[in-house]
Amino acid sequence: MDLNRRNLLELAAGTGALSLVQGCQSTGTVSRKSGVTIEKLEKTAGASVLQLDGADSPLIIDSIELLRKGRDSIVRVRSKDGAEGVALTNGREQYVYPILNKRVIPYFLGKDARDLEDHLWGVYRHASNYKLQGLAFWCCLAWVEFAILDMIGRVTGKSIGQLCGGVIRRNVDFYVASGRRDSTPEEEVEYLAGLVAETGAKAVKFRLGGRMSKNADAMPGRTEGLIPLARKKLGDRIDLHGDANSSYDPPKAIEVGRMLEDVGAVYFEEPCPFDHLEDTKIVTDTLRIPVAGGEQEFSRRRFRWMIYNRGVDIVQPDLHYYGGLIRSTRVARMAAVAGMPTTVHISGGFGFIYMLHFASFTPDIGLYQEYKRNIERYADWFDPPLRINNGAITVPQGPGVGIKDIKSLLKDAKPAVYS
């Protein structure tokens, strides 16, 4: 098939029409791409996530507050009987804190924490919060959810993995990622080699294109030079990932994707603008290399569209941006029904801790998860301390998120104040 621009535009139009028809079809219609029905996806996503054995008495939320200690912002939740839990944010709280303080926290006060799954819908409806839907709202909810899960875990003696279905792995293979686009191919490969040497990672991810750049590269010839050079210099033992951050239209994305196929890359992340699902589907349908996407997504129905229509091969909810572990687990379960892995996107320095818990209980998480290279800052917060061995990180043990001494963590923490 000659994939010139005209053919691709015609294909895009056809894809859009097909998607519209599929959207109007009966929920019992089996997708030719995913092999499942919308009804089955919805039933799967609607099933209960939490296993609350041991939480036999009401756990009424008395307070939730945003605290600051050094570089960390911490959400602390307390129950009326003195239980508490904490969550660390991803840095977005500095400008979305009014939503947290005025629209999310008030809903949860006086509620039973054991009903957390129901509260995810309740807070969405509360005070018309659905009008605020987006990353700013769902980040706030994620922080509160993380803290509540930590509190429930401490009360029941269960880790987050045990609360969310049971721990099936204790070690998680990871890749290290470069966020740079200011480097030449030679500089970037040298930097990536340093990350591998530093961490023992078995895989790397590099940036392609110019980030939402309408096909422009970060510098002339950078992408075309970087992809083959990375394979040549890093060797065949290191797996490669490419992330375009919404840089391309379908023709250019396919061109770059072919380069990634030539070097045997693991996947091609977010090739087209993140909200242009039809364009991304064109790339997914055309390339042999798996296409990943979803880090900016906040709608379960759009994730359902991606899975039902096979708009991507790998779904990537961000545990903060998408609103927490429970909602992300529902996406992963839908993906699993369709035979697709879920490899979460990571935002925030402490975010890889929540990733480790998610990976501990999610059956198909793909080959690698992202590691932000700051384990040394947090390793001794846990018992046993977190460790890296042969390109994998140990999953935190202990109740809740696993922080062994939240009293010390909270010592000298003050109410967060932002100008």
Side-chain angles (χ1 to χ4, degrees):
M1 180 178 180
D2 181 15
L3 288 171
N4 58 38
R5 183 173 295 272
R6 180 175 179 179
N7 286 337
L8 280 166
L9 290 174
E10 291 173 353
L11 180 58
T15 301
L18 176 60
S19 300
L20 179 61
V21 170
Q22 289 172 331
C24 297
Q25 286 175 337
S26 164
T27 57
T29 302
V30 177
S31 166
R32 287 179 294 175
K33 286 290 184 181
S34 64
V36 297
T37 63
I38 291 175
E39 182 180 46
K40 186 171 184 179
L41 292 175
E42 279 297 291
K43 183 177 180 180
T44 300
S48 179
V49 172
L50 297 181
Q51 297 181 0
L52 297 177
D53 301 346
D56 301 322
S57 301
L59 196 57
I60 306 303
I61 297 170
D62 186 56
S63 66
I64 304 175
E65 54 190 330
L66 177 62
L67 306 172
R68 186 77 179 174
K69 180 179 179 179
R71 293 183 289 166
D72 295 315
S73 291
I74 305 163
V75 172
R76 174 173 62 184
V77 59
R78 286 172 164 167
S79 73
K80 289 187 179 294
D81 59 2
E84 63 183 346
V86 296
L88 274 75
T89 67
N90 64 347
R92 308 292 184 188
E93 76 287 344
Q94 298 176 53
Y95 46 85
V96 304
Y97 67 91
I99 297 176
L100 174 66
N101 290 334
K102 297 180 180 180
R103 305 301 291 268
V104 175
I105 288 175
Y107 168 83
F108 282 93
L109 301 181
K111 300 292 196 304
D112 191 337
R114 298 177 303 171
D115 298 325
L116 178 57
E117 292 191 66
D118 292 334
H119 294 324
L120 300 183
W121 175 252
V123 69
Y124 178 59
R125 294 181 64 241
H126 172 71
S128 297
N129 277 338
Y130 56 85
K131 296 182 182 293
L132 303 177
Q133 171 153 231
L135 274 60
F137 172 76
W138 288 112
C139 276
C140 296
L141 184 55
W143 306 327
V144 171
E145 184 216 69
F146 295 157
I148 291 174
L149 288 175
D150 187 47
M151 179 174 69
I152 295 174
R154 292 176 187 279
V155 169
T156 61
K158 293 183 176 182
S159 69
I160 284 178
Q162 292 171 317
L163 288 174
C164 293
V167 174
I168 59 176
R169 61 177 62 83
R170 292 291 186 184
N171 296 278
V172 179
D173 289 336
F174 65 85
Y175 69 82
V176 286
S178 169
R180 301 176 60 182
R181 281 188 167 89
D182 62 346
S183 55
T184 65
E186 293 75 16
E187 291 169 338
E188 184 69 350
V189 170
E190 182 179 358
Y191 178 64
L192 291 167
L195 297 183
V196 170
E198 173 191 337
T199 64
K202 301 172 185 176
V204 301
K205 185 172 79 175
F206 42 75
R207 307 290 183 174
L208 304 172
R211 182 182 288 271
M212 299 191 71
S213 58
K214 297 183 178 180
N215 291 337
D217 208 344
M219 62 181 66
R222 181 180 184 275
T223 293
E224 291 81 357
L226 174 58
I227 293 172
L229 187 65
R231 173 57 72 216
K232 178 180 178 181
K233 295 295 186 180
L234 297 176
D236 293 335
R237 297 181 64 183
I238 299 298
D239 281 333
L240 307 179
H241 304 67
D243 186 356
N245 294 114
S246 300
S247 290
Y248 305 125
D249 64 11
K252 186 64 177 178
I254 291 167
E255 177 186 330
V256 173
R258 295 297 190 206
M259 299 178 201
L260 290 169
E261 288 177 345
D262 288 343
V263 299
V266 172
Y267 66 65
F268 187 12
E269 183 174 344
E270 206 174 77
C272 301
F274 61 84
D275 55 348
H276 205 322
L277 304 185
E278 291 83 0
D279 271 9
T280 302
K281 177 174 166 52
I282 292 170
V283 180
T284 302
D285 287 346
T286 303
L287 294 176
R288 298 187 307 275
I289 185 175
V291 171
E295 71 177 79
Q296 261 83 229
E297 189 52 69
F298 52 81
S299 167
R300 187 173 94 184
R301 290 184 178 93
R302 282 203 295 269
F303 266 123
R304 189 187 72 186
W305 187 99
M306 294 182 205
I307 294 166
Y308 182 81
N309 294 289
R310 196 73 180 212
V312 294
D313 299 297
I314 301 168
V315 292
Q316 290 187 298
D318 183 291
L319 296 175
H320 292 268
Y321 299 161
Y322 189 63
L325 288 151
I326 293 171
R327 297 186 82 228
S328 297
T329 297
R330 291 171 176 165
V331 170
R333 288 179 174 180
M334 287 194 292
V337 167
M340 300 166 61
T342 300
T343 299
V344 293
H345 179 264
I346 303 299
S347 62
F350 194 78
F352 81 95
I353 301 295
Y354 299 114
M355 172 275 290
L356 291 171
H357 282 293
F358 184 86
S360 78
F361 65 82
T362 302
D364 190 352
I365 56 167
L367 294 175
Y368 304 100
Q369 309 302 300
E370 184 171 0
Y371 165 50
K372 294 290 190 181
R373 305 187 308 281
N374 50 4
I375 193 172
E376 65 282 346
R377 182 159 183 246
Y378 302 114
D380 292 333
W381 291 18
F382 301 89
D383 185 18
L386 302 185
R387 292 290 181 261
I388 289 177
N389 182 40
N390 194 28
I393 307 178
T394 54
V395 173
Q397 300 181 37
V401 77
I403 297 173
K404 64 184 178 182
D405 187 359
I406 62 174
K407 298 295 184 185
S408 294
L409 173 64
L410 294 170
K411 184 180 180 181
D412 300 324
K414 306 293 183 185
V417 178
Y418 302 103
S419 57

